């Protein structure tokens, strides 16, 4: 997976250690870890590092989940910051669970958009995948199609990959994108027609192939999605 190239970016290994310590029973250790994470939010590479940790081999499940939660919260609250909050006191907060506001630089946005679907296919836990799908929906709301023109191509590539995890990730992303547009007024659904015309014709064949060729939990989830 690609990484952020900013020289001032945080170290994913240090962030990993901090996230693991947020479960530490020692109050001082836990508070120090949370303080580091709150500070890390303000640095380049924060969201990219979280995305890397979500799928990093050997990372404990609870840390992967914590990374995915922080990633989803960071994106949903900060991908587009309301003008009323840009200079708010909530911009920096000492609470790891707070709705603090932070800027996301352009390079991090590109890396996250280019790697979200791949991360969904690599994630081993259902809850993590669904959190990443929420990230897709939040970014799609603000960036598709102008700033995320290859989202549809990424979904199509996953649908046609023949690999169950990739197909499931693509379907999960597609489901969120369609849900997003179905919630819009009819006069704002032009992009939905393009998505449907490109994806739905291959879904029947995909489901038939999955049913006949794959025997796994992921295959069942593909059909049920």
């Amino acid at each position: 997976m690609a990484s952020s190239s900013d020289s001032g970016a945080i170290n994913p290994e240090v962030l990993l250690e901090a996230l693991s310590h947020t479960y530490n029973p020692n109050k001082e250790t836990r508070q120090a870890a949370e303080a580091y994470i709150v500070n890390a939010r303000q640095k380049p590479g924060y969201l990219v590092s979280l995305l890397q940790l979500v799928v990093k081999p050997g990372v404990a499940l609870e840390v992967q989940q914590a990374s995915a939660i922080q990633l989803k919260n960071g994106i949903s609250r900060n991908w587009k910051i309301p003008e009323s909050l840009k200079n708010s006191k909530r911009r920096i907060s000492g609470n790891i669970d707070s709705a603090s506001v932070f800027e996301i630089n352009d390079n991090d946005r590109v890396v996250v958009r280019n790697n979200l679907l791949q991360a969904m296919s690599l994630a081993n836990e259902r809850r993590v995948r669904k959190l990443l799908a929420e990230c897709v929906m939040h970014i799609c709301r603000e960036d598709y199609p102008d700033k995320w023109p290859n989202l549809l191509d990424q979904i199509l590539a996953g649908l046609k990959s023949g690999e169950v995890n990739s197909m499931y990730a693509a379907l999960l992303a597609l489901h969120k994108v369609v849900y997003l547009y179905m919630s819009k007024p009819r006069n704002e659904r032009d992009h939905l027609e393009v998505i449907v015309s490109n994806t739905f014709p291959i879904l029947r064949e995909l489901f038939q192939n999955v049913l006949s060729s794959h025997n796994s939990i992921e295959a069942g989830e593909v059909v049920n999605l």
Side-chain angles (χ1 to χ4, degrees):
M1 182 178 296
S3 61
S4 175
S5 60
D6 293 85
S7 59
I10 60 177
N11 187 331
E13 296 301 324
V14 178
L15 182 60
L16 168 60
E17 183 178 5
L19 285 164
S20 65
H21 283 318
T22 59
Y23 297 93
N24 195 299
N26 183 281
K27 183 178 180 179
E28 291 184 357
T29 301
R30 186 172 64 253
Q31 288 179 337
E34 292 177 352
Y36 172 83
I37 293 170
V38 169
N39 182 63
R41 290 171 176 168
Q42 310 301 323
K43 296 182 179 181
Y46 172 66
L47 294 183
V48 173
S49 296
L50 289 173
L51 187 60
Q52 291 173 335
L53 294 179
V54 166
V55 296
K56 183 178 176 64
V59 173
L61 177 58
E62 63 267 21
V63 177
Q64 290 181 332
Q65 291 178 340
S67 300
I69 290 170
Q70 291 296 318
L71 179 67
K72 191 267 293 182
N73 289 344
I75 287 173
S76 64
R77 296 166 180 167
N78 299 286
W79 204 263
K80 181 180 180 180
I81 303 174
E83 290 295 328
S84 60
L85 292 181
K86 284 189 175 180
N87 297 313
S88 170
K89 290 182 180 180
R90 288 170 59 190
R91 187 174 180 82
I92 299 178
S93 170
N95 185 348
I96 190 176
D97 295 319
S98 71
S100 61
V101 178
F102 58 87
E103 296 286 346
I104 304 171
N105 69 35
D106 290 341
N107 183 66
D108 288 356
R109 290 173 186 270
V110 171
V111 174
V112 169
R113 284 192 296 257
N114 287 343
N115 288 278
L116 258 180
L117 266 70
Q118 180 190 10
M120 288 171 63
S121 69
L122 295 174
N124 294 320
E125 205 270 329
R126 184 175 182 179
R127 185 186 178 200
V128 169
R129 285 176 171 171
K130 292 194 172 183
L131 287 166
L132 296 180
E134 290 291 325
C135 295
V136 171
M137 185 176 70
H138 287 299
I139 297 174
C140 179
R141 178 182 290 116
E142 305 300 335
D143 289 4
Y144 183 77
D146 295 341
K147 296 180 180 179
W148 201 356
N150 63 337
L151 172 60
L152 181 55
D153 289 338
Q154 291 177 7
I155 291 174
L156 289 171
L159 294 177
K160 298 175 181 179
S161 67
E163 201 280 316
V164 174
N165 288 333
S166 295
M167 290 188 294
Y168 178 66
L171 277 171
L172 194 55
L174 176 62
H175 179 266
K176 288 296 183 181
V177 172
V178 171
Y179 175 83
L180 173 65
Y181 276 98
M182 289 299 294
S183 66
K184 293 178 178 287
R186 288 187 178 275
N187 63 350
E188 297 180 14
R189 297 182 185 177
D190 290 347
H191 297 307
L192 177 61
E193 296 180 7
V194 175
I195 294 168
V196 170
S197 65
N198 279 274
T199 59
F200 276 31
I202 67 174
L203 292 181
R204 177 176 295 181
E205 181 180 357
L206 183 154
F207 292 148
Q208 291 174 341
N209 290 339
V210 169
L211 287 173
S212 62
S213 305
H214 301 279
N215 182 19
S216 67
I217 294 175
E218 289 81 6
E221 290 179 345
V222 164
V223 175
N224 290 330
L225 193 55

